[in-house]
Amino acid sequence: MPSGKRFVSPFDEMRHKLVDHLRSKGITDKLVLKAIDTVPRERFVPQAIRARSYEDTALPIDDRQTISQPYTVAFMTQALLPTQGMRVLEVGTGSGYQSAVLSAIGCTVVSIERLPRLSHQARTILTKFGYNVACRIGDGTIGWREGAPYDGIIVTAGAPDVPEPLARQLAIGGRMVVPVGTQSEQTLYRVTRTAEENWRVEDLGPFKFVPLIGVEGWTDEQ
Ligand code: SAH
């Protein structure tokens, strides 16, 4: 190794600034901020718009889907009350960025995506960077029973209602963050399973997601 300066990418600097910005917008969870400070978002964004990776906006990925806005990822992850070793199911792998953040925190992650191409691309990047995420292809509105029960479930697409199979795959004490509403606007809910047949629902405010499509979601428009 030649001695001298370590190579610092301009993206590293942008990432630190994004973390400061998220802090100024009220994100306080140290595990979340630290994870966002380490995951290279530019690798989960299409090459042509990589320069925009650290803008606090959602960006288009393949198949008319989006990588969520960093603030949304931070807010949802914080709302999950993440801990190291927690078992988490993500519905809507998309770019793989959200699952990389969860994995960087130390969660054990299963992520389901309905579009095979996105799942394959996400898996390739996650593997390349050493994030331990089990990527599955299928309809996440019915969950992934093989991995249940989960301490956390994070739904990254907007649902018409809380999908019941997901509520039932939570462990007691487990929580799910899920956007519920119309196809264009949703309210983010945190659903905590407090007992075998009891769930507490909290309203965490308005958000916008692409639609959750599946048997317990919206019907595919095609
Ligand atoms: N978490 C992603 C956000 C992706 S957008 C990220 O960090 O980039 C939401 C994703 O949910 C899209 O890729 C969409 O194809 C997927 N999706 C929609 N309905 C789904 C379903 N029923 N099961 C699994 N994935 C679904």
Side-chain angles (χ1 to χ4, degrees):
M1 262 283 279
S3 65
K5 296 184 188 102
R6 192 175 76 87
F7 176 71
V8 180
S9 128
F11 288 123
D12 295 340
E13 181 123 338
M14 291 185 219
R15 194 175 313 114
H16 300 324
K17 286 204 172 125
L18 173 66
V19 169
D20 288 341
H21 165 79
L22 295 173
R23 220 182 260 118
S24 77
K25 282 185 83 176
I27 304 297
T28 52
D29 189 306
K30 290 198 173 63
L31 289 174
V32 174
L33 291 167
K34 197 171 159 212
I36 290 177
D37 209 11
T38 65
V39 178
R41 190 168 189 262
E42 70 275 13
R43 301 302 182 137
F44 296 86
V45 163
Q47 178 84 51
I49 52 169
R50 200 158 271 181
R52 300 184 57 199
S53 299
Y54 290 96
E55 291 176 16
D56 190 17
T57 52
L59 292 170
I61 56 174
D62 283 339
D63 294 336
R64 296 186 299 131
Q65 304 303 317
T66 55
I67 173 171
S68 301
Q69 178 182 350
Y71 176 72
T72 304
V73 172
F75 187 91
M76 290 181 89
T77 313
Q78 175 168 280
L80 208 54
L81 311 175
T83 54
Q84 283 164 8
M86 175 173 175
R87 292 186 51 78
V88 180
L89 173 70
E90 179 192 27
V91 177
T93 314
S95 67
Y97 178 71
Q98 170 73 74
S99 50
V101 168
L102 288 164
S103 169
I105 286 173
C107 301
T108 302
V109 189
V110 180
S111 184
I112 312 184
E113 171 58 53
R114 64 184 281 270
L115 301 173
R117 175 162 74 150
L118 291 182
S119 179
H120 291 137
Q121 287 172 356
R123 186 194 303 234
T124 303
I125 298 166
L126 290 164
T127 306
K128 182 168 171 196
F129 285 90
Y131 295 112
N132 182 19
V133 174
C135 291
R136 300 284 176 263
I137 296 168
D139 177 5
T141 66
I142 58 168
W144 191 265
R145 286 185 58 178
E146 292 88 329
Y150 300 100
D151 306 309
I153 299 181
I154 184 163
V155 182
T156 67
D161 219 328
V162 176
E164 193 180 329
L166 296 182
R168 294 205 165 274
Q169 286 177 28
L170 281 174
I172 303 206
R175 49 259 168 207
M176 158 163 56
V177 286
V178 54
V180 174
T182 65
Q183 291 211 12
S184 51
E185 324 179 283
Q186 305 87 29
T187 300
L188 189 65
Y189 288 155
R190 175 167 52 201
V191 179
T192 305
R193 189 173 198 175
T194 53
E196 187 60 35
E197 289 300 326
N198 210 39
W199 290 263
R200 181 179 70 232
V201 180
E202 295 163 273
D203 178 338
L204 305 181
F207 283 87
K208 280 181 200 234
F209 288 84
V210 295
L212 181 74
I213 295 165
V215 292
E216 299 285 336
W218 299 100
T219 312
D220 195 349
E221 72 272 32
Q222 282 145 30

